[in-house]
Amino acid sequence: FGAHSRAEREVAKIVPLLQDAFRKREICETVLEKWLGEHDFFELAYITDAAGRQFIDNIGNQDGNIVHDKKGFGQDWSLRQWYLDALQYDGIRSTDIYRSTATGDFCFTVTAVLHDSCGKIIGVTAADVNFRRLLQK
């Protein structure tokens, strides 16, 4: 869908910043806070290491307020389909549309694989898109 492509383009813009700041938790969280503040159709963003373990808080956008949810920190997403698909595709990828447990709205997740300067996979970033809000923009 065109909506998927639009969200994927916005995620692609932040990938270089996250790769440069990778594993610097505070910097990654600050980058995502600013980015979510500028893109209110994204509900949530997070980053894993190459093994699928999340190393930042869930950074959320709730009605224009940027919030941290510490429950995401340390979660192992290595067996989740969005994570496995991201690694297999090794680029920007969108999931199918699903119903958000946080808002009840329809959403999809955009993932992007992060690489170091040598091209080695170092992690995956993911951002959940509120489909209704995206279409209203």
Side-chain angles (χ1 to χ4, degrees):
F1 296 118
H4 283 83
S5 296
R6 181 175 173 210
E8 289 172 0
R9 282 192 305 273
E10 294 305 325
V11 170
K13 291 177 186 177
I14 199 168
V15 166
L17 297 172
L18 296 175
Q19 288 176 155
D20 288 346
F22 191 76
R23 281 301 214 179
K24 297 173 186 149
R25 180 178 177 179
E26 289 181 16
I27 296 172
C28 287
E29 288 179 349
T30 300
V31 166
L32 288 175
E33 288 167 1
K34 182 177 185 300
W35 182 76
L36 284 172
E38 296 169 354
H39 302 87
D40 67 349
F41 49 88
F42 287 98
E43 290 185 350
L44 187 67
Y46 38 99
I47 308 170
T48 74
D49 60 19
R53 189 157 308 274
Q54 187 170 325
F55 68 89
I56 67 167
D57 292 346
N58 286 336
I59 310 296
N61 187 341
Q62 295 177 351
D63 301 319
N65 296 312
I66 304 303
V67 297
H68 284 242
D69 180 357
K70 298 190 182 307
K71 289 187 282 187
F73 182 81
Q75 289 292 320
D76 181 356
W77 303 115
S78 63
L79 298 178
R80 293 291 177 105
Q81 198 61 51
W82 62 263
Y83 174 81
L84 296 169
D85 287 348
L87 291 180
Q88 181 178 6
Y89 182 71
D90 194 10
I92 308 279
R93 185 164 178 86
S94 292
T95 67
D96 290 334
I97 294 173
Y98 61 92
R99 186 93 50 188
S100 169
T101 57
T103 64
D105 287 340
F106 287 102
C107 292
F108 62 93
T109 301
V110 178
T111 60
V113 174
L114 305 175
H115 298 91
D116 66 14
S117 60
C118 297
K120 180 181 172 192
I121 293 174
I122 54 176
V124 173
T125 190
D128 298 343
V129 181
N130 183 297
F131 197 62
R132 178 183 48 81
R133 282 192 253 165
L134 178 63
L135 293 178
Q136 289 174 342
K137 296 290 173 189

